[in-house]
Amino acid sequence: MVFWTRIACLLVTVAIYPTLFLVSIVIQYAKTSLPPGIEQPFKLRFYQSIMISLLLLVSVDLFWYDVAQLESVYRKVWMPDTSLLIQEQQFDGVPVKIYQPKKPAVTKRKALLFFHGGAGTYGNVAQRLSTLFRRRTDQQQNASIRSTNAGVLLAFCAMTVARKRPNADKYHTDASCVTVCGDSCGANFATKICQLLVDRTDVPKIQAQILIYPGLQGMDFYLPSYQQNKDIPLLWRKLVVYWTCRFLNKSTSVVNDVLEGRHVPEDIRTKYQKWVCADLIPEEFKVRGYKPQDPALRTFKPKVYEEMKQVLEVTFSPLFAENSVISKLPQACILTCEFDVLRDDGLLYKRRLEENGVPVTWFHAKKSIHGLAILFGYGQQEWLHSPAINLPY
């Protein structure tokens, strides 16, 4: 029954998708602004149209599972990867995909645990990891990469990391040399996991964290990057809160109120402004325009706060962690993109880490957008600036 349901979903999806794609093109041209001088604008608009069409499909849950598999199928058919041994496993019920070089290891390999993006609601372990790290893994011949679903509960994610030693022996990886990594909301998960485990003595210490355009706070959506890049692909300002509501299973009717900050009580705003504030963003990142929010626009609404108070907790907003936690974190590599609404989240976390003595390697892609990591690995279809980023391992 499940098989035939999936077949039916796929057939219906294929039948209606061309119409949805045409509608998406119209929406994209009406609502999207491209940065001046951006290269390959038509290819970028094409990618944005695909994303919008998937947003339209997601409203019909019946089709979503099959749509999430399309990229995986594309890669298997047109871009098979024969250099890696790929296994699908479950660690304590958490779906995990393991990538290892086929060449036998002489010594135990380093381990990298990757949490993919997708707003915690879209994607699977088969998608992003291979495009971002498989080439690097093949070159190193000394790394084992594990990708986990971003939609699982954070507690399960932490459990996966905490119990890696038995799995490390099985897969010939060094449990004392673990790097945690993620992109977008996956970077949020990776950040929080590092924070959760800093005082654990019963598990190996995480050696490093790699945060690729991370989203790290749910309080201030008027930071310069949110204003400057509000309509730039692939992540609009409004979509940040929309996907947050979807992830937390909240009503999307509060999106506009949250964007204006009406979910934040004054005492919480005052408490965390020392860490999340436009005044802390370097002036060079304000030259494209920034206007402080009119305080009258953020009139507090208790009902909105009750609905969305979870975004003001440190479990959702790792930027709110105390200095006593931040100071114990492992060394970090952070990638930010100039034309990304989440840019300033990364800049603010970089500042916090450095102020607490944590070594940070920072890469800033001056001509790139949110999602650049998923826009390469497609041959002629990849976006120009995507492969220009060199991530250390």
Side-chain angles (χ1 to χ4, degrees):
M1 182 64 181
V2 173
F3 172 78
W4 290 111
T5 299
R6 290 179 178 177
I7 292 295
C9 290
L10 182 60
L11 291 175
V12 174
T13 300
V14 170
I16 70 172
Y17 186 77
T19 300
L20 286 179
F21 185 72
L22 291 176
V23 173
S24 301
I25 292 175
V26 175
I27 295 174
Q28 190 275 140
Y29 269 91
K31 293 185 176 295
T32 294
S33 300
L34 295 185
I38 196 76
E39 298 186 41
Q40 298 192 349
F42 292 106
K43 186 175 289 187
L44 191 55
R45 288 188 180 276
F46 173 76
Y47 279 123
Q48 178 75 347
S49 297
I50 291 178
M51 195 195 78
I52 294 172
S53 66
L54 295 180
L55 287 176
L56 296 175
L57 280 178
V58 76
S59 61
V60 185
D61 293 335
L62 180 66
F63 306 135
W64 190 236
Y65 176 85
D66 297 287
V67 173
Q69 310 303 314
L70 293 181
E71 180 186 3
S72 177
V73 172
Y74 174 86
R75 291 189 183 281
K76 288 180 180 178
V77 174
W78 298 106
M79 304 174 65
D81 193 332
T82 59
S83 63
L84 298 176
L85 176 64
I86 303 174
Q87 299 173 278
E88 294 187 12
Q89 301 288 341
Q90 287 203 356
F91 294 171
D92 296 312
V94 180
V96 177
K97 196 154 192 173
I98 302 170
Y99 298 76
Q100 292 179 306
K102 289 184 176 179
K103 183 179 179 180
V106 178
T107 60
K108 286 191 174 183
R109 294 186 173 103
K110 303 173 184 177
L112 187 148
L113 182 64
F114 182 90
F115 296 89
H116 69 74
T121 58
Y122 169 69
N124 57 54
V125 295
Q127 292 179 311
R128 302 183 180 202
L129 183 62
S130 59
T131 63
L132 185 57
F133 290 110
R134 69 180 173 190
R135 297 171 185 169
R136 187 62 170 170
T137 304
D138 190 39
Q139 293 168 3
Q140 290 269 329
Q141 293 292 328
N142 190 33
S144 174
I145 300 178
R146 304 170 189 197
S147 173
T148 71
N149 275 348
V152 299
L153 295 175
L154 189 58
F156 282 151
C157 294
M159 186 193 317
T160 301
V161 181
R163 297 184 178 180
K164 277 180 66 66
R165 188 179 291 278
N167 295 312
D169 294 337
K170 180 178 180 181
Y171 297 104
H172 205 63
T173 55
D174 187 351
S176 66
C177 192
V178 177
T179 295
V180 176
C181 175
D183 74 306
S184 194
C185 76
N188 178 294
F189 298 159
T191 302
K192 190 55 195 172
I193 287 169
C194 287
Q195 294 179 2
L196 286 172
L197 298 180
V198 290
D199 290 323
R200 292 281 295 272
T201 59
D202 58 327
V203 294
K205 293 290 185 183
I206 293 176
Q207 297 299 303
Q209 51 184 324
I210 301 176
L211 310 178
I212 303 171
Y213 37 79
L216 300 173
Q217 58 86 28
M219 182 177 78
D220 190 347
F221 299 101
Y222 263 83
L223 293 171
S225 62
Y226 279 97
Q227 294 188 31
Q228 297 164 359
N229 304 315
K230 63 184 180 68
D231 296 324
I232 291 179
L234 294 171
L235 184 63
W236 298 333
R237 173 175 177 259
K238 197 167 186 176
L239 283 178
V240 175
V241 179
Y242 171 83
W243 283 118
T244 296
C245 292
R246 291 294 302 260
F247 173 62
L248 298 176
N249 198 26
K250 305 295 184 180
S251 171
T252 56
S253 63
V254 301
V255 166
N256 289 332
D257 284 329
V258 173
L259 286 172
E260 297 297 339
R262 297 170 187 145
H263 65 303
V264 186
E266 197 57 38
D267 61 325
I268 292 181
R269 188 183 304 278
T270 301
K271 177 181 179 179
Y272 292 126
Q273 272 187 333
K274 59 185 176 182
W275 297 325
V276 181
C277 178
D279 294 341
L280 303 176
I281 303 297
E283 292 301 317
E284 65 188 278
F285 293 101
K286 300 177 184 177
V287 295
R288 291 198 291 121
Y290 166 68
K291 182 179 179 181
Q293 183 187 18
D294 181 353
L297 295 177
R298 60 173 188 244
T299 302
F300 178 59
K301 292 186 176 182
K303 289 185 178 180
V304 179
Y305 167 69
E306 287 300 322
E307 180 76 4
M308 297 298 294
K309 60 185 178 182
Q310 190 173 343
V311 304
L312 302 175
E313 299 172 358
V314 70
T315 50
F316 185 91
S317 297
L319 254 172
F320 296 168
E322 296 295 329
N323 288 332
S324 59
V325 174
I326 298 292
S327 61
K328 299 176 185 177
L329 291 173
Q331 62 181 318
C333 173
I334 299 177
L335 170 66
T336 56
C337 300
E338 177 61 29
F339 303 119
D340 178 12
V341 289
L342 301 183
R343 180 198 69 198
D344 292 350
D345 285 26
L347 295 178
L348 291 171
Y349 200 59
K350 169 181 175 290
R351 179 189 180 105
R352 290 214 60 201
L353 291 169
E354 291 174 336
E355 288 179 343
N356 282 275
V358 179
V360 178
T361 300
W362 173 49
F363 292 89
H364 184 62
K366 295 183 177 180
K367 294 184 178 181
S368 284
I369 60 170
H370 186 87
L372 72 89
I374 63 169
L375 296 182
F376 69 91
Y378 293 98
Q380 293 298 317
Q381 286 76 45
E382 67 185 10
W383 190 50
L384 181 64
H385 287 295
S386 297
I389 304 302
N390 181 29
L391 292 177
Y393 183 67

